[in-house]
Amino acid sequence: MKFSLSVILTMLGGIGVSLWAYTPWWGFVPVAFLLALIIHQVPAKAFASGFLGMLLAWGGLSWWIDWQNTSLLSKQVAILLPLQGSSAALILLTGILGGILGGVAALAGSYLRVIKSKSE
């Protein structure tokens, strides 16, 4: 239950922060960190929930943006990268990058929670 809740909240928080105009591209990192700090999970599950939540959020957002402009930009960027012009590979790569960043932030929050609980 905590895992599913953490994934959903990380995904929704990541989407909400990413769509807000005044945040940098990494604005979802504090969201994943704080959620892992608030929702107690073992570090491996915290990383997995942060990874999965942000994979879905960034992958979904990049797919939505790609769909809105009929893959014009993503095909050009995929040509510049070694992706053979595949916009789907670029969307997957974007989701994985967001997932890794969200997972590491959640892992850091989980470890901070463990350190705080041991010091008390």
Side-chain angles (χ1 to χ4, degrees), residues 5-15 31-32 35 49-50 53-54 57 102:
L5 179 67
S6 182
V7 169
I8 291 169
L9 288 176
T10 302
M11 182 181 68
L12 293 176
I15 289 172
V31 172
L35 281 171
S49 65
M54 286 315 302

Side-chain angles (χ1 to χ4, degrees), residues 17-114:
V17 168
S18 296
L19 290 178
W20 192 39
Y22 299 108
T23 57
W25 67 267
W26 51 266
F28 66 89
V29 170
V31 172
F33 178 82
L34 290 173
L35 281 171
L37 197 61
I38 293 168
I39 301 173
H40 178 64
Q41 295 183 42
V42 296
K45 282 191 176 183
F47 176 84
S49 65
F51 180 85
L52 189 58
M54 286 315 302
L55 173 81
L56 294 172
W58 262 31
L61 279 174
S62 62
W63 172 81
W64 182 65
I65 292 168
D66 185 58
W67 180 71
Q68 292 292 319
N69 69 13
T70 61
S71 303
L72 292 174
L73 181 61
S74 63
K75 286 182 182 176
Q76 296 299 317
V77 172
I79 289 171
L80 294 174
L81 298 173
L83 301 174
Q84 286 86 28
S86 172
S87 60
L90 183 64
I91 291 169
L92 181 64
L93 184 65
T94 302
I96 289 172
L97 178 65
I100 290 171
L101 291 170
V104 169
L107 185 66
S110 177
Y111 279 143
L112 182 64
R113 183 179 180 96
V114 169

